[in-house]
């Protein structure tokens, strides 16, 4: 395999890698307008990459950048074969806590990855490795929240310099089955209770409606209003209430719904939208991302979790089989459905001169893990103390 270099545009230096099919040209895009203009090429690449999740779609990433990105820090590694985009690593430069290149999408994205055309998996991966190496001379390459089977795993395997792989957030997934087959996985009493909850939904007249692309903005507004209402007075993810998050969803969802990368479902009762759900879709994955439900549903004994899961399975157990991801977190309520644990990973790549950055990142990750474990221990101790005190207080005389 031969390599040649040539002068690129203002976005950086291009490198060429010869393959059996043609020349792959790799360069860095740092221009926001150019990244916006890649929508059609990126969409084709996203469709051709079997491992891609909805969080790597162009609509999601470009919208996220407009809401959360900082000018001058965009770094998107592009690999072209002629006019065809065949691989990409969507990244941004960060200065704190360490100089690093991290994936676009930030904390509101459950999975990160690079994209590689399925017809050029080996050559595209090698081109990404070659393109990332000079970038790693001045910054740590840090891809967190990587789902098993992601394309960046192959980049990590082929990386010639210092590297490490760490466990990241826990996730839970259900197999691509229709609702009735998911119920068959449950103990009989639990499955019977769930069927009774579904019959109650039907008896109440709850109707699910898939929202067309032209109505998505209004429906997302309703979803966010219901989401805020359902968490009123309770601890909620504060970012979901921020204007930038709202703007991101309003901007990204219509093109994603139109492309089949997302679906918004409304749940109507007595002529009113009482709940709304946003599920993100790719070829092999459906992820329940965000929902909002009016408190009156619980007052009427509606099991919202069952209602939402029943709607989601319409996109997992049909002709296109998709795993149903419950996304990050292993909260107890998710285990009701007997999901499989799936742990995201974090991949760190460096060169010899940036190896100290890798060491510092490992130390920081270890310190954070230690702090989390100590916090869990304190919580368990508080719970145990509370139970002991409750036990002592329960034996008083009359």
């Amino acid at each position: 395999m031969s390599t040649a270099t040539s002068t690129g545009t203002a976005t950086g230096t291009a490198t060429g890698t010869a393959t059996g099919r043609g020349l792959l040209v790799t360069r860095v895009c740092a221009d926001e307008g150019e990244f916006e203009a890649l929508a059609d090429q990126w969409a084709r690449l996203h469709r051709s990459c079997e491992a891609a999740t909805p969080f790597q779609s162009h609509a999601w990433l470009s919208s996220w950048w407009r809401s959360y990105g900082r000018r001058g820090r965009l770094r998107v590694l592009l690999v072209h074969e002629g006019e065809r985009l065949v691989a990409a690593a969507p990244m941004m430069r960060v200065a704190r806590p360490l100089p690093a290149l991290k994936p676009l999408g930030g904390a509101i994205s459950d999975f990160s990855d690079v994209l590689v055309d399925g017809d050029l998996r080996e050559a595209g991966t090698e081109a990404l490795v070659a393109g990332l190496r000079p970038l790693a001379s001045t910054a740590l390459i840090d891809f967190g929240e990587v789902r098993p089977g992601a394309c960046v795993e192959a980049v990590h395997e082929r990386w010639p310099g210092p590297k490490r792989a760490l466990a990241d957030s826990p996730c839970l997934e259900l197999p691509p089955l229709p609702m009735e087959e998911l119920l068959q996985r449950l103990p009989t009493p639990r499955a019977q209770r769930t069927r009774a909850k579904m019959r109650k939904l039907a008896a109440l007249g709850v109707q699910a409606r898939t929202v067309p692309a032209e109505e998505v903005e209004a429906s997302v507004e309703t979803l966010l209003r219901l989401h805020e209402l359902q968490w009123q007075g309770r601890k909620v993810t504060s970012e979901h209430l921020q204007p930038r998050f709202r703007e991101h969803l309003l901007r990204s969802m219509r093109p994603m719904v139109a492309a089949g990368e997302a679906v918004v479902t409304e749940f109507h009762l007595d002529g009113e939208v009482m709940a709304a759900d946003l599920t993100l879709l790719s070829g092999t994955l459906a992820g329940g991302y965000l929902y909002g439900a009016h408190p009156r549903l619980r007052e009427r004994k509606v099991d919202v979790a069952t209602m939402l899961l029943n709607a989601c399975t319409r996109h997992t157990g049909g002709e296109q089989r998709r795993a149903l991801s419950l996304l990050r977190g292993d909260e107890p309520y998710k285990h009701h459905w007997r999901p499989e644990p799936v742990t995201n990973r974090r991949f760190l790549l460096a060169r010899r001169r940036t190896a100290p950055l890798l060491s510092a990142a490992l130390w920081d990750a270890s310190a954070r893990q230690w702090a989390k474990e100590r916090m869990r221990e304190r919580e368990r101790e508080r719970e145990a103390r509370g139970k002991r005190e409750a036990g002592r207080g329960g034996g008083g005389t009359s």
Side-chain angles (χ1 to χ4, degrees):
M1 185 177 290
S2 62
T3 302
T5 61
S6 62
T7 302
T9 66
T11 57
T13 300
T15 62
T17 303
T19 71
R21 291 178 36 161
L23 186 69
L24 299 187
V25 178
T26 306
R27 65 185 181 85
V28 177
C29 167
D31 182 81
E32 297 176 5
E34 182 185 1
F35 179 51
E36 284 285 336
L38 287 171
D40 291 342
Q41 293 185 60
W42 197 284
R44 190 211 61 80
L45 173 60
H46 187 263
R47 289 192 299 271
S48 72
C49 182
E50 185 177 353
T53 77
F55 300 104
Q56 283 78 60
S57 72
H58 188 271
W60 181 269
L61 293 176
S62 61
S63 175
W64 180 90
W65 180 257
R66 290 175 63 181
S67 288
Y68 293 88
R70 299 187 64 178
R71 185 176 296 276
R73 297 193 177 182
L74 186 67
R75 301 289 188 275
V76 182
L77 186 64
L78 304 172
V79 181
H80 279 88
E81 181 188 47
E83 297 297 318
R84 183 182 179 191
L85 183 64
V86 296
M91 301 177 295
M92 61 181 178
R93 178 92 182 203
V94 301
R96 297 177 182 178
L98 300 167
L101 286 167
K102 294 194 173 188
L104 301 185
I108 67 169
S109 299
D110 287 75
F111 304 123
S112 73
D113 199 5
V114 299
L115 295 174
V116 182
D117 190 310
D119 293 336
L120 279 172
R121 186 70 182 262
E122 292 297 321
T125 300
E126 292 289 352
L128 286 177
V129 171
L132 287 169
R133 290 192 74 232
L135 297 174
S137 296
T138 56
L140 180 68
I141 309 294
D142 185 353
F143 267 79
E145 304 299 357
V146 177
R147 188 169 178 257
C151 292
V152 78
E153 285 185 351
V155 173
H156 178 263
E157 290 171 2
R158 291 164 175 76
W159 189 256
K163 60 184 179 181
R164 284 294 297 272
L166 307 174
D168 217 332
S169 298
C171 299
L172 296 169
E173 286 189 8
L174 289 167
L177 298 172
M179 187 65 168
E180 184 54 38
E181 292 184 43
L182 288 178
L183 291 176
Q184 293 172 14
R185 291 160 42 90
L186 303 180
T188 300
R190 184 179 295 176
Q192 290 175 341
R193 289 195 297 271
T194 303
R195 291 189 181 96
K197 293 173 182 177
M198 293 172 64
R199 289 194 295 270
K200 182 176 180 61
L201 287 169
L204 286 172
V206 176
Q207 296 184 337
R209 170 181 175 265
T210 300
V211 178
E214 60 270 17
E215 298 178 24
V216 162
E217 288 93 340
S219 189
V220 169
E221 290 274 22
T222 299
L223 187 157
L224 291 171
R225 176 179 57 80
L226 290 171
H227 182 76
E228 182 174 4
L229 187 62
Q230 84 181 49
W231 290 103
Q232 205 165 52
R234 296 185 291 159
K235 186 177 180 180
V236 64
T237 302
S238 58
E239 185 59 35
H240 293 166
L241 307 181
Q242 299 301 314
R244 62 185 180 181
F245 181 76
R246 170 184 170 275
E247 291 165 3
H248 164 62
L249 285 189
L250 289 174
R251 187 167 46 231
S252 61
M253 282 307 106
R254 180 165 182 164
M256 290 183 72
V257 168
E261 296 166 349
V263 60
V264 179
T265 305
E266 292 180 345
F267 300 88
H268 294 247
L269 179 61
D270 299 333
E272 184 180 353
V273 179
M274 298 296 288
D277 171 77
L278 169 59
T279 295
L280 302 181
L281 306 173
S282 65
T284 59
L285 181 76
Y289 184 71
L290 190 72
Y291 76 93
H294 200 288
R296 289 208 304 270
L297 286 178
R298 298 199 183 277
E299 294 171 5
R300 298 185 67 170
K301 308 301 182 184
V302 170
D303 190 291
V304 174
T306 298
M307 180 181 73
L308 296 173
L309 188 74
N310 187 36
C312 283
T313 56
R314 301 175 188 178
H315 311 290
T316 60
E319 293 182 5
Q320 186 164 6
R321 311 282 278 186
R322 297 181 174 103
L324 176 55
S325 175
L326 306 181
L327 301 182
R328 286 177 296 179
D330 59 353
E331 295 86 353
Y333 75 89
K334 294 181 179 179
H335 289 271
H336 174 88
W337 302 100
R338 289 193 167 181
E340 297 295 326
V342 179
T343 302
N344 285 349
R345 301 180 77 193
R346 180 184 178 189
F347 293 103
L348 302 170
L349 312 173
R351 298 285 295 275
R352 185 180 302 175
R353 70 177 67 178
T354 50
L357 297 177
L358 175 58
S359 298
L362 292 174
W363 183 91
D364 179 72
S366 178
R368 290 176 182 271
Q369 183 61 32
W370 181 88
K372 287 181 180 179
E373 291 173 358
R374 298 293 82 75
M375 184 177 296
R376 292 192 191 103
E377 287 180 4
R378 288 194 293 269
E379 289 176 353
R380 287 194 291 267
E381 290 172 358
R382 282 197 296 269
E383 290 176 1
R385 187 166 56 249
K387 290 178 180 179
R388 289 195 300 268
E389 292 174 351
R392 288 194 297 268
T397 60
S398 57

